[in-house]
Amino acid sequence: MTNDNTPVITEMRVYPVAGYDSMLLSLSGAHAPFFTRNIVIIKDNAGHTGIGEVHGGEAITKYLEDAVSLVEGQPVCKYKTVIGRLKNIHNERAKNSDGIQNLDLTKLKDVVHAESAVEAALLDLWGQFLGLPVCELLGEGKQRDDVVVLGYLFYQADGRKFDADYITEDNAPNVWFRQRRKPAMDTQGILRQAHAAKEYYGFKDFKLKGGVLSGEKEMEAIAALGKEFPDARINIDPNGAWKLEEAVRLCKGSCLTYAEDPCGTESGYSGRETMAEFKMRTGIPTATNMIATDWRQFYHAVVEKSVDIVLADPHFWTMADSVRIGQVLHDWGLTWGCHSNNHFDISLAIFAQTAAACPSVTAMDTHWIWQDGQHLTKNPYKIANGKIHIPEASGFGLELDMDAVLKAHALYKKLPYGDRRDGVGMQYLIPGWKFDSKMPCMVR
């Protein structure tokens, strides 16, 4: 096979888009009424269309727009070379960044590999040409037919109280859609979320986003989840908000299957050092999407025995590197997982195809349950019985709904800014609120 008889890229378009969100809470603050993403659409001269998705924000949009000249005119079969060039540009721009070890959202653009959206679209095209699903083009190919997904639970403020654009779904046709826009600021609210999500999606496992209330209250919710769902794998993610001593006190002897970033930087120590000590003192496995977001950080995290599960979001790593780290983790007796931000159905497919190619995986994170129904494709993947079934179709097997993309793009253009700014929503709840990486967002 030569370049002469494989498709050539004729067009690459970038669409910043927006969708609706709930007033979900985390250490970084409150989600806005809208979330933003960037959609990449690439066409070739064989008549195929490939699609990709990545985080929102003006900096990421510009990076993708600047990449157009490096993508158009290239043979689809040279997708690895194309992505390699784009990755080098990203790495050069982000080389002096501190990353997100302290959850500084202004640094998120440095951790997100915008070229992952281009990679996804090119893999989609290459899969369509070869007649193979994307997962067969990654690592050692497809490792599983079904990907297990966990139920991602959030404390949620009542956005309906404020002069904002948070939507309601009180008359929605199913129990989860009705529940997901309602406030949940205590243990009973979290349990209602869990039951509704389990009923609709069939989840067996759950994750609670912490860093919102006091650690004691959040661990009360974890204990209640463990009692209510005794067979579930349950974890919590306070985004490093707890000090080491507090994290040990709160978690030791709990029902946690693992703790995601229970502690972080402290008294001159990095999160890799404090999490290694947390593991030694509690015996609880740890996961991260904060202290091992590139290969160098991963090396130090492994040497210090800080983590057992690396949540290698393909938007942070690219799909190829996400699978590559999954292979390394498997060979070293560790486990791959996937972190998530608010996203559309294209990212759901990216996550699922990546997970299908990794040899050892834990239940995958996804925010999709909070956006489900806002489709940019005509045939989005579905979560049933707590799993996503990987289709046999070529590429991602998705049919783009261009009308929906243009509608989401029009919504984006109405927003005052495209970057994620969780501190803005917090002003409704606590006037004058400022982010503090060591203070849960509702504790002031």
Side-chain angles (χ1 to χ4, degrees):
M1 184 181 296
T2 66
N3 292 353
D4 294 335
N5 56 20
T6 59
V8 174
I9 299 160
T10 57
E11 181 183 64
M12 172 178 159
R13 298 291 297 274
V14 181
Y15 291 90
V17 294
Y20 296 93
D21 202 1
S22 302
M23 200 175 194
L24 307 181
L25 300 174
S26 69
L27 180 66
S28 60
H31 286 203
F34 307 97
F35 72 100
T36 64
R37 303 289 281 180
N38 281 288
I39 304 301
V40 169
I41 302 173
I42 300 179
K43 297 183 179 182
D44 64 25
N45 62 356
H48 297 138
T49 299
I51 53 180
E53 177 185 340
V54 72
H55 295 62
E58 291 92 339
I60 291 176
T61 302
K62 186 178 187 308
Y63 172 94
L64 290 170
E65 290 173 343
D66 290 345
V68 171
S69 62
L70 298 175
V71 176
E72 290 181 346
Q74 295 295 319
V76 177
C77 64
K78 294 182 67 176
Y79 69 93
K80 290 185 179 180
T81 299
V82 173
I83 297 306
R85 290 170 180 163
L86 297 179
K87 188 186 298 183
N88 288 339
I89 294 171
H90 167 89
N91 290 340
E92 180 63 25
R93 290 179 177 178
K95 66 181 180 181
N96 296 318
S97 174
D98 296 332
I100 58 168
Q101 186 172 192
N102 290 308
L103 204 67
D104 182 352
L105 293 183
T106 66
K107 306 291 180 62
L108 187 61
K109 67 183 184 301
D110 302 327
V111 177
V112 172
H113 279 260
E115 71 272 14
S116 65
V118 180
E119 175 198 40
L122 293 179
L123 284 168
D124 191 11
L125 287 174
W126 192 228
Q128 291 175 59
F129 175 75
L130 296 175
L132 294 171
V134 167
C135 59
E136 290 286 11
L137 309 177
L138 297 167
E140 296 179 355
K142 188 178 184 181
Q143 304 292 304
R144 60 188 53 80
D145 295 322
D146 297 283
V147 173
V148 176
V149 183
L150 55 75
Y152 204 166
L153 311 176
F154 280 80
Y155 290 103
Q156 181 178 174
D158 190 353
R160 296 173 292 187
K161 289 183 177 180
F162 311 109
D163 182 21
D165 296 313
Y166 293 100
I167 61 172
T168 62
E169 293 183 286
D170 293 340
N171 298 317
N174 68 69
V175 63
W176 170 250
F177 282 30
R178 292 192 298 273
Q179 184 62 47
R180 67 181 177 177
R181 307 302 179 198
K182 294 181 178 179
M185 291 303 296
D186 56 21
T187 294
Q188 289 306 309
I190 294 299
L191 290 177
R192 286 193 293 271
Q193 277 186 16
H195 278 289
K198 181 179 178 67
E199 179 178 335
Y200 188 63
Y201 295 105
F203 291 124
K204 306 296 192 298
D205 306 312
F206 295 99
K207 168 180 170 176
L208 175 63
K209 174 62 80 173
V212 177
L213 307 177
S214 69
E216 286 76 12
K217 289 182 179 179
E218 292 179 351
M219 289 306 294
E220 285 176 11
I222 290 294
L225 286 167
K227 183 177 181 180
E228 199 82 358
F229 305 98
D231 297 326
R233 290 170 54 86
I234 296 171
N235 67 88
I236 189 169
D237 174 21
N239 285 120
W242 301 337
K243 293 288 187 70
L244 174 61
E245 292 296 333
E246 181 184 17
V248 171
R249 174 175 56 81
L250 290 170
C251 297
K252 192 170 185 177
S254 70
C255 66
L256 289 172
T257 304
Y258 64 87
E260 179 181 339
D261 292 303
C263 47
T265 57
E266 178 182 334
S267 302
Y269 296 98
S270 72
R272 287 173 283 277
E273 292 165 314
T274 59
M275 282 178 60
E277 190 168 344
F278 171 88
K279 280 183 57 180
M280 288 188 292
R281 293 174 61 180
T282 64
I284 297 173
T286 58
T288 188
N289 77 303
M290 294 176 67
I291 66 167
T293 59
D294 61 34
W295 288 102
R296 185 178 178 187
Q297 290 182 8
F298 172 61
Y299 166 77
H300 288 287
V302 169
V303 167
E304 296 177 30
K305 299 183 179 179
S306 305
V307 293
D308 302 277
I309 302 167
V310 176
L311 303 176
D313 181 340
H315 297 323
F316 281 19
W317 289 82
T318 73
M319 294 180 74
D321 275 5
S322 186
V323 173
R324 184 155 67 99
I325 198 170
Q327 293 173 313
V328 172
L329 290 165
H330 173 74
D331 290 344
W332 292 354
L334 303 172
T335 306
W336 179 94
C338 184
H339 165 72
S340 166
N341 286 106
N342 296 88
H343 60 82
F344 286 104
D345 39 332
I346 300 171
S347 277
L348 184 67
I350 292 171
F351 292 164
Q353 292 280 347
T354 303
C358 287
S360 297
V361 301
T362 191
M364 187 182 77
D365 286 15
T366 176
H367 277 64
W368 173 241
I369 63 174
W370 299 94
Q371 275 73 55
D372 192 357
Q374 302 180 62
H375 305 153
L376 299 184
T377 68
K378 297 179 180 180
N379 55 336
Y381 292 10
K382 298 183 184 302
I383 302 173
N385 298 316
K387 300 176 181 179
I388 299 172
H389 183 71
I390 305 300
E392 291 295 331
S394 302
F396 288 124
L398 296 173
E399 182 182 355
L400 187 67
D401 186 339
M402 197 63 207
D403 288 340
V405 172
L406 293 175
K407 184 178 179 181
H409 179 54
L411 178 61
Y412 174 89
K413 290 194 291 186
K414 295 179 181 179
L415 302 182
Y417 51 83
D419 291 310
R420 180 176 168 183
R421 300 182 185 180
D422 292 5
V424 175
M426 283 301 299
Q427 304 308 312
Y428 290 111
L429 304 174
I430 303 175
W433 184 91
K434 294 182 179 180
F435 172 71
D436 186 328
S437 66
K438 287 302 175 187
M439 189 176 290
C441 73
M442 292 299 294
V443 179
R444 287 295 184 272

Coordinates of all heavy atoms in Angstrom, one line a residue, residues 25-59:
L25 N -20.7 20.8 41.6 CA -19.7 21.4 42.5 C -18.4 20.5 42.6 O -18.5 19.3 42.6 CB -20.2 21.7 43.9 CG -21.4 22.6 44.0 CD1 -22.0 22.6 45.4 CD2 -21.1 24.0 43.5
S26 N -17.3 21.1 42.7 CA -16.0 20.5 42.9 C -15.1 21.4 43.6 O -15.5 22.6 43.8 CB -15.4 20.0 41.6 OG -15.0 21.1 40.8
L27 N -13.9 21.0 43.8 CA -12.9 21.9 44.5 C -12.7 23.2 43.7 O -12.5 24.3 44.3 CB -11.6 21.2 44.6 CG -10.4 21.9 45.3 CD1 -10.8 22.2 46.8 CD2 -9.1 21.2 45.2
S28 N -12.8 23.1 42.4 CA -12.6 24.3 41.6 C -13.7 25.3 41.6 O -13.6 26.4 41.0 CB -12.2 23.9 40.2 OG -13.2 23.2 39.6
G29 N -14.9 24.9 42.1 CA -16.0 25.8 42.2 C -17.3 25.2 41.6 O -17.6 24.0 41.8
A30 N -18.1 26.0 40.9 CA -19.4 25.5 40.4 C -19.4 25.5 38.9 O -19.0 26.5 38.3 CB -20.5 26.4 41.0
H31 N -19.9 24.5 38.3 CA -20.1 24.4 36.9 C -21.0 25.5 36.4 O -22.0 25.8 37.0 CB -20.6 23.1 36.4 CG -19.6 22.0 36.5 ND1 -19.7 20.8 35.7 CD2 -18.5 21.8 37.2 CE1 -18.7 20.0 36.0 NE2 -17.9 20.6 36.9
A32 N -20.7 26.1 35.3 CA -21.6 27.2 34.7 C -22.8 26.5 34.1 O -22.8 25.3 33.9 CB -20.8 27.9 33.6
P33 N -23.8 27.3 33.6 CA -25.0 26.7 33.0 C -24.6 26.1 31.6 O -25.4 25.2 31.1 CB -25.9 27.9 32.7 CG -25.4 29.0 33.7 CD -24.0 28.7 33.9
F34 N -23.5 26.4 31.1 CA -23.0 25.9 29.8 C -21.6 25.3 29.9 O -20.8 25.9 30.6 CB -23.1 27.0 28.7 CG -24.4 27.7 28.6 CD1 -24.6 28.9 29.3 CD2 -25.4 27.1 27.9 CE1 -25.8 29.6 29.2 CE2 -26.6 27.8 27.8 CZ -26.8 29.0 28.5
F35 N -21.3 24.2 29.2 CA -20.0 23.7 29.1 C -19.6 23.9 27.6 O -20.4 24.0 26.7 CB -19.9 22.3 29.5 CG -20.5 21.3 28.6 CD1 -19.8 20.6 27.7 CD2 -21.9 21.1 28.5 CE1 -20.3 19.7 26.8 CE2 -22.5 20.2 27.7 CZ -21.7 19.5 26.8
T36 N -18.3 24.0 27.4 CA -17.8 24.2 26.0 C -16.8 23.1 25.6 O -16.1 22.5 26.4 CB -17.1 25.5 25.9 OG1 -15.9 25.6 26.7 CG2 -18.0 26.7 26.2
R37 N -16.8 22.8 24.3 CA -15.9 21.8 23.7 C -15.5 22.3 22.3 O -16.1 23.3 21.8 CB -16.6 20.4 23.5 CG -17.2 19.9 24.8 CD -16.1 19.4 25.8 NE -15.6 18.1 25.4 CZ -14.6 17.5 26.1 NH1 -14.1 18.0 27.2 NH2 -14.2 16.3 25.7
N38 N -14.5 21.6 21.7 CA -14.1 21.9 20.4 C -14.3 20.6 19.6 O -13.8 19.6 19.9 CB -12.6 22.3 20.3 CG -12.4 23.8 20.7 OD1 -12.8 24.7 20.0 ND2 -11.9 24.0 21.9
I39 N -15.0 20.8 18.4 CA -15.3 19.7 17.5 C -14.4 19.8 16.3 O -14.3 20.9 15.7 CB -16.7 19.6 17.1 CG1 -17.6 19.5 18.4 CG2 -17.0 18.4 16.2 CD1 -17.4 18.3 19.3
V40 N -13.7 18.7 15.9 CA -12.9 18.7 14.7 C -13.6 17.8 13.6 O -14.0 16.7 14.0 CB -11.5 18.2 14.9 CG1 -10.7 18.0 13.7 CG2 -10.8 19.3 15.8
I41 N -13.8 18.3 12.4 CA -14.4 17.5 11.4 C -13.4 17.5 10.2 O -13.0 18.6 9.7 CB -15.7 18.1 10.9 CG1 -16.7 18.2 12.1 CG2 -16.3 17.3 9.8 CD1 -18.0 18.9 11.8
I42 N -13.0 16.3 9.8 CA -12.0 16.2 8.7 C -12.6 15.3 7.6 O -13.1 14.2 7.9 CB -10.7 15.6 9.2 CG1 -10.1 16.4 10.3 CG2 -9.7 15.4 8.1 CD1 -8.8 15.9 10.9
K43 N -12.4 15.8 6.4 CA -12.9 15.0 5.2 C -11.8 14.6 4.3 O -10.8 15.2 4.3 CB -13.9 15.8 4.4 CG -15.2 16.2 5.2 CD -16.2 17.0 4.4 CE -17.4 17.3 5.2 NZ -18.4 18.0 4.4
D44 N -12.0 13.5 3.6 CA -11.0 13.0 2.7 C -11.6 12.9 1.3 O -12.8 13.0 1.1 CB -10.3 11.7 3.1 CG -11.3 10.5 3.2 OD1 -12.3 10.5 2.4 OD2 -11.0 9.6 3.9
N45 N -10.7 12.6 0.3 CA -11.2 12.5 -1.1 C -11.8 11.2 -1.5 O -12.2 11.0 -2.6 CB -10.0 12.8 -2.1 CG -8.9 11.8 -2.0 OD1 -8.9 10.9 -1.1 ND2 -7.9 12.0 -2.8
A46 N -12.0 10.4 -0.5 CA -12.8 9.1 -0.7 C -14.2 9.3 -0.3 O -15.0 8.4 -0.3 CB -12.1 8.0 0.1
G47 N -14.6 10.5 0.2 CA -15.9 10.8 0.6 C -16.3 10.5 2.0 O -17.4 10.5 2.5
H48 N -15.2 10.2 2.9 CA -15.4 9.9 4.3 C -15.3 11.1 5.1 O -14.6 12.1 4.8 CB -14.4 8.8 4.7 CG -14.6 7.5 4.1 ND1 -13.5 6.8 3.6 CD2 -15.7 6.8 3.7 CE1 -13.9 5.7 3.1 NE2 -15.2 5.7 3.1
T49 N -15.9 11.1 6.3 CA -15.8 12.2 7.3 C -15.4 11.6 8.6 O -16.0 10.6 9.1 CB -17.2 12.9 7.5 OG1 -17.6 13.5 6.2 CG2 -17.1 14.0 8.5
G50 N -14.3 12.2 9.2 CA -13.9 11.8 10.5 C -14.1 12.8 11.5 O -14.1 14.0 11.2
I51 N -14.4 12.5 12.7 CA -14.8 13.4 13.8 C -14.0 13.2 15.0 O -13.6 12.1 15.4 CB -16.3 13.4 14.1 CG1 -16.8 12.0 14.4 CG2 -17.1 13.9 12.9 CD1 -18.2 11.9 14.8
G52 N -13.7 14.4 15.7 CA -13.0 14.3 17.0 C -13.6 15.4 17.9 O -14.3 16.3 17.5
E53 N -13.3 15.3 19.2 CA -13.7 16.3 20.2 C -12.7 16.4 21.3 O -12.0 15.5 21.6 CB -15.0 15.8 20.8 CG -15.6 16.6 21.9 CD -16.8 16.1 22.6 OE1 -17.5 15.2 22.0 OE2 -17.1 16.5 23.8
V54 N -12.6 17.6 21.8 CA -11.6 17.9 22.9 C -12.2 19.0 23.7 O -13.3 19.6 23.4 CB -10.2 18.2 22.4 CG1 -10.2 19.6 21.7 CG2 -9.1 18.0 23.4
H55 N -11.5 19.4 24.8 CA -12.0 20.4 25.7 C -12.2 21.7 25.0 O -11.7 22.0 23.9 CB -10.9 20.7 26.8 CG -10.7 19.5 27.7 ND1 -10.2 18.3 27.3 CD2 -10.9 19.4 29.1 CE1 -10.1 17.5 28.3 NE2 -10.5 18.1 29.4
G56 N -13.0 22.6 25.6 CA -13.3 23.9 25.1 C -12.2 24.9 25.5 O -11.3 24.6 26.2
G57 N -12.4 26.2 25.0 CA -11.5 27.2 25.4 C -10.9 27.8 24.1 O -10.6 27.2 23.2
E58 N -10.7 29.2 24.2 CA -10.2 29.9 23.0 C -8.8 29.4 22.6 O -8.5 29.4 21.4 CB -10.2 31.4 23.3 CG -11.6 32.0 23.4 CD -12.1 32.1 24.8 OE1 -11.6 31.3 25.7 OE2 -13.0 32.9 25.1
A59 N -7.9 29.2 23.6 CA -6.6 28.8 23.3 C -6.5 27.4 22.6 O -5.7 27.3 21.6 CB -5.7 28.6 24.6

